[in-house]
Amino acid sequence: MDGITGIYGPGDGELVQKAFLATGALQHRGKTGSGIAVGTDRGIHLVKGVGGIADVVDVEIVHLLQDLTPSAAIGNVGYTKNKIAEKRNAEPVMVRPKKASPWQVALTFNGRIVGEDELQAELEDEYAFETANRTELLGALLHRCVAREGPTFEAGRTLVDLLHGRGSFALVALVFDGKETRLVTLNDDRAFEPFCFGTVGGNFVASSESCSHRRLGGFAERDYLGAEMTIASSAGVETRRLRVERPLTDVFQAIYFGNVASQYRGQDIFQLRKALGLALTRLYGRPEADVVIPNPDSGRGVAYGIAEGLGMTLSHGLVKQAQAIRTFQESQVRRRTIEVGLKFAAIDSVLRGQRVVMGDDSVVKGSVSEGGSVWSVYNAGAKRLEFWISYGPMFFPSFKEWRRGRECLDELAVQRAFRGEHPYDKPLEEINRRVAKLIGVDRVCYNTRENIEAVVGPGSFQAMDASYPVAEEHWPDWLKQEVERSAKLGLRFG
C-alpha cells in the first residue's frame, strides 16, 4: 500500500511545497520510505529515503528543488515492497536503460504486479535493475512503450494490455524528452487501486486519495476509471480512457486503508464507515453494553455508527500512542507483536467495571486485537468486551501477500480459528464464536457481505470471496486448491 501524487504546474513558484503537502497528506498509507521527483526543461531530479516524507524532504530540499524551476513533480509515501526498508528501494525510482535513450523516466506506483520474474527476464538485456523494488520493472515497461510509441495514449494502451490480468497499478511518472518534462498518470483496466484527479489553483493534481486535494485547498474532480491516462505537457492536459473492462475497485480502501477525510466513489469515507456501524446494530440488535468505544484510529467511523444505532454516547477508552505505526503489512510475527504492544493506552476510568462494545474495521490476522487493544481493555478493568467489525470474515489473503506463500493464508484469524478444518461452510454465528475465542473476547460480531455492498457498492471483496484483479492462470497452486475447496463446501459469504 503506497500513496502517490503527481502535480503539473509550470510557473508555480510553490510547486515543490505543494507536492510535499499533497504527498504528506497520504502519510497514513505508509512510513517506511518516501520521496519526491521534479521535472524541468533540463531533466529529472529525485530525492528519496527511508522514513516519512518529513524525514526525507526538509525545508532546505524543498527550496533547492524549487530553484530548479520545475514544471511537474511526483511523490511517494509507502510501505516497503520488500522485507527490509532501504534507501535504494524507496520511491520514486529512475529507469535505467542500458543503451543511450532520448527518454528519461521516473515514476512511482501503488499496486502489485504478479508474474514479474517472467516480465523482468524479457527486459534484462535492455534495462539495468539496480534495486529490489519491482517498481523498476513497471518503469522499464513504461519506458519501452514510450521509446517505441512516444509519450502517447497508444503507449499507455500497450502497457495496459500487457498487464491485463496481472494485478493492479496506479502510476504517476515524469517523462523527459530532452526539451520538456511531461506528467503521465495511468491505472489498470479494473481500477482496483484508489486514484483520483482534479485541478487545484490552476495545477493538475492526481493522487491516491482526495485528502491530497483538500490539503491544497481544493477538491478532487473524480476518480479515475479503469485504464484511464492523463498526459500533461506544454500542449495542455488531456485524459482518455484506453480500454473498457468491468470495474473491480478495492472495497477495503473504504473499510480500512483510506483516510477518513478522503472520499470513496464520491462519498466521505467517514460517513461510509458510520453507515456500516449502523448496519451492524440492525443485524445484531442491542447488546449487553455500558459503553461503546472505537479501536483507534480506523475503527472510529464504525464506532460512531454503532453508538448512534444503539442510542449510546461514544466514549474514547483507548488512545493510539504517538509512536504507533500501521502494523497491517508487517509480515514478521515477532516484530509485529512488539509494534502492536506499543500501539495503545487504555483509560481506566472509562473502562473499569464496564461492559464494552468496541468498533473496529476488520480482523485480519488477529494479532493487533490479541496483543494490543483486547489486552489493553481488559487490563483497564473491563468486565466484558464485544468486538463489532465493519467488514466480514476474511477467508483469503490479499494478492499482494501471495509472494510469502501459503503462510499468508494460514495466518488469517478465520483460518486459525478453524485449524484442522475449514470455515467456508460454517454459519456466521459459528465464525463469530470461534474468532471470539481465538482473540480472547466475549463476542465477535462480523458484518455481512450484503450489508457492506449496500453501503459501499460493488467491487472486489478479495478477502471474502477471492475476487482478485488477477487472472486465475497467475494464481499460486495452493490458492487455487483452497478456492476450489471453498467452492465445493459452498462458501456462504462470497
Side-chain angles (χ1 to χ4, degrees):
M1 182 178 77
D2 286 55
I4 62 170
T5 58
I7 300 182
Y8 187 77
D12 189 329
E14 297 181 339
L15 183 69
V16 179
Q17 176 72 7
K18 291 175 180 178
F20 173 84
L21 293 173
T23 304
L26 303 173
Q27 194 70 80
H28 59 284
R29 299 187 68 85
K31 298 180 181 179
T32 59
S34 55
I36 286 177
V38 299
T40 72
D41 58 5
R42 297 178 298 280
I44 298 172
H45 306 270
L46 186 154
V47 176
K48 64 178 182 177
V50 175
I53 189 68
D55 300 319
V56 176
V57 180
D58 59 21
V59 174
E60 184 178 350
I61 290 175
V62 169
H63 290 321
L64 287 172
L65 293 177
Q66 188 62 53
D67 286 344
L68 299 172
T69 61
S71 57
I74 60 175
N76 168 278
V77 291
Y79 289 95
T80 178
K81 296 181 176 73
N82 305 280
K83 288 186 176 181
I84 300 174
E86 298 178 80
K87 180 178 179 178
R88 70 187 182 113
N89 292 328
E91 298 181 35
V93 300
M94 195 78 76
V95 180
R96 308 288 183 186
K98 290 184 175 179
K99 295 181 180 179
S101 170
W103 302 102
Q104 189 179 19
V105 173
L107 83 160
T108 181
F109 95 107
N110 177 37
R112 184 77 186 182
I113 305 300
V114 300
E116 59 266 46
D117 291 339
E118 170 192 343
L119 291 170
Q120 184 165 321
E122 298 175 5
L123 294 164
E124 285 180 338
D125 289 341
E126 300 176 63
Y127 295 90
F129 294 96
E130 300 179 350
T131 77
N133 190 340
R134 293 308 175 92
T135 301
E136 267 192 317
L137 169 63
L138 184 59
L141 291 170
L142 175 62
H143 187 280
R144 186 176 67 176
C145 292
V146 169
R148 293 175 178 177
E149 301 177 82
T152 61
F153 293 108
E154 290 73 19
R157 173 62 191 258
T158 299
L159 182 59
V160 167
D161 290 347
L162 175 66
L163 297 178
H164 173 71
R166 283 185 173 268
S168 66
F169 68 89
L171 70 82
V172 291
L174 299 175
V175 179
F176 178 65
D177 64 0
K179 296 180 180 179
E180 71 167 307
T181 297
R182 294 169 175 81
L183 173 69
V184 173
T185 72
L186 180 65
N187 67 340
D188 66 80
D189 52 26
R190 306 298 297 277
F192 184 86
E193 302 296 344
F195 203 26
C196 59
F197 67 91
T199 300
V200 181
N203 295 335
F204 174 83
V205 181
S207 177
S208 295
E209 296 186 32
S210 60
C211 59
S212 292
H213 300 81
R214 296 299 296 126
R215 183 62 186 84
L216 298 180
F219 296 89
E221 177 183 333
R222 64 173 176 85
D223 293 330
Y224 275 103
L225 305 174
E228 206 164 13
M229 182 180 189
T230 297
I231 301 175
S233 70
S234 58
V237 178
E238 185 178 0
T239 300
R240 293 185 193 175
R241 194 169 189 190
L242 310 178
R243 175 173 174 153
V244 178
E245 297 286 343
R246 180 176 62 86
L248 191 67
T249 54
D250 183 12
V251 170
F252 209 54
Q253 298 293 332
I255 303 294
Y256 170 70
F257 286 139
N259 189 314
V260 292
S262 292
Q263 291 194 326
Y264 176 82
R265 289 175 167 164
Q267 299 184 71
D268 288 345
I269 286 179
F270 174 80
Q271 296 300 334
L272 293 175
R273 291 176 183 172
K274 183 179 176 181
L276 290 169
L278 285 166
L280 283 170
T281 65
R282 292 191 292 269
L283 180 63
Y284 290 102
R286 178 81 188 208
E288 300 176 15
D290 304 305
V291 62
V292 177
I293 68 171
N295 193 3
D297 282 324
S298 53
R300 201 173 307 280
V302 65
Y304 269 101
I306 293 168
E308 181 177 311
L310 297 177
M312 300 175 67
T313 300
L314 182 70
S315 301
H316 294 280
L318 278 183
V319 177
K320 189 175 181 181
Q321 304 278 52
Q323 71 270 23
I325 65 171
R326 273 188 149 173
T327 54
F328 175 76
Q329 291 188 351
E330 176 54 61
S331 60
Q332 297 180 20
V333 176
R334 178 180 173 82
R335 181 172 177 178
R336 182 179 172 88
T337 301
I338 293 171
E339 290 172 349
V340 165
L342 296 173
K343 235 179 178 182
F344 303 107
I347 302 174
D348 293 0
S349 60
V350 174
L351 301 175
R352 186 182 298 114
Q354 301 297 297
R355 297 170 298 177
V356 179
V357 169
M358 182 188 295
D360 203 2
D361 55 89
S362 60
V363 176
V364 184
K365 302 172 186 177
S367 55
V368 172
S369 309
E370 292 173 89
S373 55
V374 170
W375 182 90
S376 298
V377 170
Y378 281 126
N379 187 59
K383 66 180 182 181
R384 179 179 174 83
L385 175 59
E386 297 190 10
F387 233 46
W388 287 39
I389 310 301
S390 64
Y391 200 58
M394 302 181 78
F395 301 106
F396 306 107
S398 165
F399 75 95
K400 298 175 184 180
E401 299 289 306
W402 289 354
R403 67 190 186 283
R404 297 197 291 115
R406 190 186 171 90
E407 175 191 355
C408 67
L409 171 73
D410 294 338
E411 69 189 8
L412 296 174
V414 172
Q415 297 290 349
R416 291 167 57 209
F418 288 86
R419 187 76 74 211
E421 49 184 317
H422 300 291
Y424 308 117
D425 59 345
K426 304 298 189 294
L428 184 58
E429 294 79 8
E430 175 68 7
I431 295 174
N432 285 341
R433 187 182 67 79
R434 292 283 195 100
V435 174
K437 182 179 180 181
L438 174 75
I439 65 177
V441 299
D442 295 281
R443 187 186 186 197
V444 162
C445 296
Y446 278 113
N447 219 334
T448 64
R449 167 69 178 268
E450 293 77 16
N451 275 348
I452 302 165
E453 191 161 353
V455 172
V456 303
S460 171
F461 293 78
Q462 59 172 322
M464 295 183 70
D465 63 4
S467 52
Y468 296 112
V470 180
E472 208 168 316
E473 64 190 89
H474 298 299
W475 292 13
D477 289 340
W478 55 264
L479 179 65
K480 291 178 183 177
Q481 294 167 5
E482 199 67 23
V483 174
E484 288 172 5
R485 184 178 292 114
S486 73
K488 290 178 181 176
L489 291 171
L491 179 60
R492 289 190 173 213
F493 303 104

